[in-house]
Amino acid sequence: MISVLTFHAVTDGDWFEDLICWLKRRYRLVPIDIVSRFYTDVTDVGHACHITVDDGDRSFADIIFPTLVRHNVPASLFVSPKMCVENRNFWFQEIKGYRESTLRSILATVVNVPIVLLTHFSVDSILKTLPLHQINEVIRRYQESTGTTEKARQNISVCALKEIAASGLVTIGAHTMSHPILSNEDDATCEDEIARSVRDLSTLLGRPIRHFAYPNGIPGVDLGEREALVLRNAGIRMAFTTESRHLSATDNELRIPRLGVSDMETTRFVTAKMLLGSNWNRLKTIVGTGEDVERRRLSRALRCFRDSVTN
């Protein structure tokens, strides 16, 4: 059995180190080449696990990377070159701590729906139904109306990224330019976000980029065949989703599943996720939780409202 884990920002170095030690006792922690070999050669890799990290939060350089080096654990890091070069935050980093009531009011205006329609949905889910230009407009209006300034920069620098890439321990992959939900974007924006991130990252690091992680990454919700075609044309060989299950030899290599690990989850909780695999998502669906469930409900509600207005 082989699994791929995905992390994002990490706030506690002791927690992350303890988890790495726990994983080392139970799995072979392998580089991304072994994942590729699993698909291309149908190689029996044994009880193995590959670690991935999305976004390139500064905690990768401060906490995650030093821990990986101490334990000689290979990993993959998926970054957006624009954020590193321009020293910018992602939209979801910028809105952290914003007042939800104010955001929801602005969202209702931007989306042009009654605010009561949005009352029972989380702000995150609402934002994730929008193209990036509307999300940026919501942030602009919030900052303007509340006098809020942009947050301090939270992502790794170009210098740190190059040092990490030069270590040979971490494989760098692309993660779009600005972290939009690709399925919300038009064809031109989708192609630009993917292809330019691969090209710019390759230029930045002086090497081909063959791996990609979808922002948010829920198959059928955040990505589809359009995105896969753009990735193939950009020279990507493996692309990673957030579908929660173990790897299978029948996987589409442009839709590789990963088991998500959130900051500060207990080893018992991580164990449950890894044991349940694909059943983890089924369990969330049965109990009616999970982001994809809420976003589908929201999409239906918006569609019904617009149909009623049209008719």
Side-chain angles (χ1 to χ4, degrees):
M1 180 190 76
I2 180 169
S3 303
V4 178
L5 298 184
T6 180
F7 296 79
H8 291 83
V10 168
T11 58
D12 188 311
D14 291 337
W15 168 81
F16 185 72
E17 186 145 29
D18 288 346
L19 185 57
I20 290 296
C21 292
W22 178 85
L23 288 168
K24 284 180 69 176
R25 291 194 296 269
R26 289 161 177 79
Y27 301 91
R28 288 177 58 220
L29 299 185
V30 299
I32 200 167
D33 290 348
I34 298 298
V35 179
S36 178
R37 198 178 307 164
F38 170 78
Y39 289 119
T40 57
D41 303 336
V42 196
T43 302
D44 182 4
V45 297
H47 208 48
C49 178
H50 177 61
I51 290 174
T52 68
V53 183
D54 286 2
D55 299 340
D57 184 270
R58 195 169 53 216
S59 63
F60 189 92
D62 295 342
I63 295 174
I64 298 174
F65 183 58
T67 304
L68 297 175
V69 171
R70 278 196 299 275
H71 293 276
N72 194 33
V73 171
S76 295
L77 171 64
F78 296 98
V79 299
S80 300
K82 179 179 180 178
M83 298 301 162
C84 298
V85 171
E86 297 183 7
N87 196 23
R88 297 179 61 184
N89 293 333
F90 292 110
W91 63 266
F92 52 86
Q93 294 170 324
E94 201 62 48
I95 67 167
K96 191 172 183 180
Y98 282 11
R99 290 194 302 274
E100 289 207 359
S101 58
T102 306
L103 278 172
R104 191 174 278 105
S105 178
I106 295 170
L107 277 162
T109 303
V110 170
V111 181
N112 195 26
V113 299
I115 192 169
V116 67
L117 189 66
L118 306 179
T119 302
H120 301 296
F121 298 99
S122 71
V123 167
D124 278 353
S125 289
I126 301 167
L127 286 165
K128 288 179 180 180
T129 66
L130 305 181
L132 190 60
H133 74 88
Q134 285 191 321
I135 296 176
N136 289 336
E137 176 62 13
V138 170
I139 293 173
R140 186 193 68 78
R141 292 190 189 189
Y142 183 98
Q143 292 175 342
E144 186 178 84
S145 65
T146 62
T148 302
T149 58
E150 292 183 348
K151 287 184 171 62
R153 299 307 179 233
Q154 298 177 31
N155 296 308
I156 60 175
S157 65
V158 170
C159 181
L161 182 63
K162 288 183 175 181
E163 180 182 342
I164 290 162
S167 71
L169 195 63
V170 177
T171 300
I172 308 296
H175 197 43
T176 71
M177 294 296 284
S178 310
H179 207 288
I181 305 296
L182 289 168
S183 60
N184 295 337
E185 304 296 336
D186 60 30
D187 291 349
T189 303
C190 173
E191 182 170 5
D192 182 67
E193 282 283 343
I194 293 173
R196 192 151 55 100
S197 72
V198 174
R199 183 179 64 249
D200 286 9
L201 193 56
S202 177
T203 300
L204 190 66
L205 299 179
R207 66 187 68 178
I209 300 299
R210 301 303 185 198
H211 310 102
F212 182 89
Y214 297 97
N216 224 60
I218 304 172
V221 179
D222 302 320
L223 59 108
E225 286 304 314
R226 178 188 67 171
E227 288 72 26
L229 178 60
V230 176
L231 287 167
R232 288 190 194 98
N233 292 338
I236 294 297
R237 294 173 181 167
M238 292 196 299
F240 294 84
T241 71
T242 56
E243 181 182 5
S244 183
R245 62 177 176 82
H246 305 300
L247 273 57
S248 165
T250 60
D251 290 337
N252 181 330
E253 290 177 57
L254 293 179
R255 286 193 179 190
I256 298 173
R258 295 185 292 176
L259 300 167
V261 180
S262 298
D263 191 26
M264 301 301 289
E265 286 181 347
T266 65
T267 53
R268 182 176 296 179
F269 199 67
V270 176
T271 301
K273 283 185 176 181
M274 298 188 78
L275 288 174
L276 286 170
S278 60
N279 290 322
W280 180 258
N281 278 347
R282 293 193 188 105
L283 178 63
K284 289 196 295 183
T285 301
I286 290 170
V287 299
T289 62
E291 176 192 305
D292 55 331
V293 175
E294 182 175 42
R295 284 171 59 199
R296 285 189 174 100
R297 286 197 297 111
L298 174 58
S299 294
R300 286 195 297 270
L302 291 172
R303 188 166 55 250
C304 288
F305 171 76
R306 286 166 182 151
D307 287 347
S308 68
V309 171
T310 303
N311 296 330

